[in-house]
Amino acid sequence: MKRCFLAVFLALIALLTAACNGVPAILGIFSPAVTDVVDLGDVFGQDPPPTSTPFETEDPSAVPTAPAVLSPAPDPVDPTPGPYGPEDKLVALTFDDGPYWGVTDKILDVVEQHADDGVHVTFFVLGAQVVKYPSLVVRAARLGCEIGNHTYHHKYLTKLSPEEMLLEVEDVNEMVRELADASPVLVRPPYGAKDDAVRAGVPYPLILWNIDTLDWQTHNAEKTLEASLKCADGDIILMHDVRADSADAFEKLVPQLLEQGFKLVTVSELFAAKGIPLEAGKDYRRAK
Ligand code: NI
């Protein structure tokens, strides 16, 4: 009987306490460890719902433009004639710092006009430009041109750490791979700046040039044309697809070189034809 009274008494005290202090106080009678601050997430063993998706937290400017603007690109062109041999008179025209709308597309128009002659050039592209004009990269690749890597930001590789150097190169390779289904295999260091650290840090052959048209300095199509016409078999010519005068020079140059018996080939085609292997850790100015 005493036990029965005790049980009723305890139950009454519990009910009164609950009325005054709420549920935690009841729990406190049996479990003193329960704290006053109750986190619903913890109580139910669930994480709070995310405030945003991972994609919303990324900087949109760091994401390459989706290749949704590719419709004008032509069908792939068979890179004929070829393969070339050591007896062929070959020259590789290379364009740096693009792609640029209004220049690169004009150069590609000329390449397309001379497709039957197997005219190909090499574009050493900047990642920062590829983001802006991805369709030009796609079109260049479909026309049989080579896409080389000129780094993302055009920094002096000689001033970067090995990690930074690799990022500058691999970011571009990844972008081009998505656009053109082929990763660049050649790197042209910005400003032609290279040293032992660059040769060791960039895991691709470094492609320089032996004919500098100085188009970036003269902005004169005639002078660019004149400098280019001094080329010989195996040479690599440097131009820039950032100004209209370089595209004008190229338009006049192509028929003249063809008439002289030259074949205009990519850098990879040039070295393959001459039987010169391109190796990482080395730099090349011409195929001789
Ligand atoms: Ni450059």
Side-chain angles (χ1 to χ4, degrees):
M1 199 60 183
K2 279 183 183 175
R3 281 182 187 168
C4 185
F5 274 125
L6 186 61
V8 171
F9 179 70
L10 284 174
L12 279 171
I13 288 188
L15 283 170
L16 281 170
T17 312
C20 296
N21 298 326
V23 174
I26 293 181
L27 296 174
I29 293 172
F30 304 103
S31 174
V34 172
T35 57
D36 290 333
V37 179
V38 177
D39 182 330
L40 288 177
D42 288 343
V43 166
F44 296 106
Q46 294 170 348
D47 290 327
T51 53
S52 66
T53 65
F55 295 105
E56 286 168 344
T57 62
E58 286 182 5
D59 176 10
S61 66
V63 181
T65 309
V69 287
L70 308 180
S71 49
D75 290 335
V77 172
D78 187 17
T80 53
Y84 303 101
E87 71 288 353
D88 286 314
K89 203 161 85 166
L90 307 178
V91 63
L93 268 95
T94 63
F95 292 92
D96 287 12
D97 298 358
Y100 259 82
W101 195 259
V103 182
T104 311
D105 45 325
K106 196 171 175 192
I107 291 166
L108 291 174
D109 288 345
V110 177
V111 169
E112 198 168 0
Q113 282 162 24
H114 296 279
D116 290 346
D117 292 308
V119 169
H120 302 142
V121 300
T122 302
F123 295 95
F124 286 99
V125 299
L126 289 178
Q129 288 302 117
V130 173
V131 167
K132 295 178 192 169
Y133 308 115
S135 63
L136 293 175
V137 173
V138 175
R139 186 181 171 205
R142 288 182 179 180
L143 286 170
C145 293
E146 181 164 17
I147 310 298
N149 187 331
H150 198 37
T151 75
Y152 198 99
H153 293 105
H154 208 275
K155 295 175 180 172
Y156 282 94
L157 293 181
T158 47
K159 296 179 181 177
L160 300 182
S161 70
E163 293 78 19
E164 291 169 328
M165 212 184 281
L166 207 55
L167 262 184
E168 277 289 316
V169 170
E170 293 300 350
D171 278 356
V172 177
N173 276 4
E174 198 173 313
M175 292 162 68
V176 173
R177 195 181 306 127
E178 283 188 19
L179 292 167
D181 284 335
S183 197
V185 293
L186 307 175
V187 168
R188 172 163 285 164
Y191 312 101
K194 55 166 193 340
D195 57 14
D196 287 344
V198 174
R199 286 188 202 93
V202 175
Y204 303 96
L206 303 177
I207 306 298
L208 302 170
W209 57 87
N210 70 309
I211 293 186
D212 189 349
T213 61
L214 297 175
D215 59 341
W216 60 275
Q217 209 171 53
T218 66
H219 305 314
N220 183 309
E222 282 306 316
K223 286 185 177 171
T224 301
L225 180 64
E226 194 181 318
S228 303
L229 285 169
K230 289 177 181 164
C231 69
D233 178 37
D235 283 355
I236 299 176
I237 300 175
L238 169 65
M239 295 169 79
H240 296 78
D241 53 332
V242 298
R243 289 181 58 96
D245 50 76
S246 299
D248 293 342
F250 177 69
E251 190 174 13
K252 293 176 184 167
L253 177 64
V254 173
Q256 293 191 46
L257 286 179
L258 290 173
E259 204 173 308
Q260 290 179 25
F262 279 101
K263 293 185 167 66
L264 280 73
V265 296
T266 67
V267 173
S268 287
E269 286 172 333
L270 175 65
F271 281 83
K274 300 298 179 190
I276 301 171
L278 289 166
E279 297 170 28
K282 293 186 177 176
D283 53 81
Y284 302 83
R285 291 191 175 278
R286 65 169 81 174
K288 276 178 187 171

